[in-house]
Amino acid sequence: MEIEALYENLRKLQEPKGYFFNKDRTRTLELLAALLVNKQRYGYMACPCRLAAGDRERDKDIVCPCIYREPDVREFGSCYCNLYVSADWNAGLIAREYVPERRPADKLFE
């Protein structure tokens, strides 16, 4: 799938839910390209900011959008990768804070 098509498909699905792409389009397209690489590599779009094990069951928590996105955006206005953000984050109405890793340590390195 081409990056622009993925952008539009995901945008249409996620914006009604209150999740927006980072307004830094270059960053957003780089992350989407990495998702497509992971889809080709693993057969699923693993988070490009995390190390995937290559086992869909083991990685199910980091298939984009990962299960950590909702609490990250709620607490920080952005997901770990800064791919999905809130409208307020994009508008600069909330501080751009470091989003800590929520994934359990036992899944980080194998």
Side-chain angles (χ1 to χ4, degrees):
M1 180 180 284
E2 182 189 294
I3 297 168
E4 288 291 336
L6 180 61
Y7 178 94
E8 281 305 314
N9 288 338
L10 292 177
R11 185 187 64 75
K12 289 176 188 174
L13 288 170
Q14 300 304 322
E15 283 186 1
K17 298 176 185 177
Y19 299 103
F20 301 88
F21 283 132
N22 185 332
K23 70 179 182 176
D24 179 343
R25 191 162 171 86
T26 300
R27 171 84 174 140
T28 296
L29 294 179
E30 287 171 352
L31 290 167
L32 292 176
L35 282 173
L36 291 174
V37 167
N38 283 346
K39 184 176 183 180
Q40 184 177 16
R41 183 180 291 151
Y42 304 119
Y44 52 92
M45 292 194 298
C47 176
C49 298
R50 294 181 167 103
L51 185 61
D55 174 345
R56 187 179 186 93
E57 182 60 27
R58 177 140 181 83
D59 291 337
K60 68 183 176 185
D61 62 321
I62 61 167
V63 173
C64 189
C66 73
I67 66 167
Y68 311 107
R69 178 187 69 172
E70 182 180 341
D72 285 350
V73 173
R74 185 174 51 248
E75 186 174 346
F76 299 99
S78 170
C79 72
Y80 183 69
C81 297
N82 300 135
L83 176 62
Y84 287 109
V85 301
S86 68
D88 286 348
W89 192 93
N90 259 345
L93 300 176
I94 57 175
R96 306 270 172 101
E97 296 181 44
Y98 170 75
V99 179
E101 175 64 88
R102 291 182 191 267
R103 195 170 197 217
D106 67 326
K107 288 192 169 192
L108 294 178
F109 306 103
E110 291 206 344

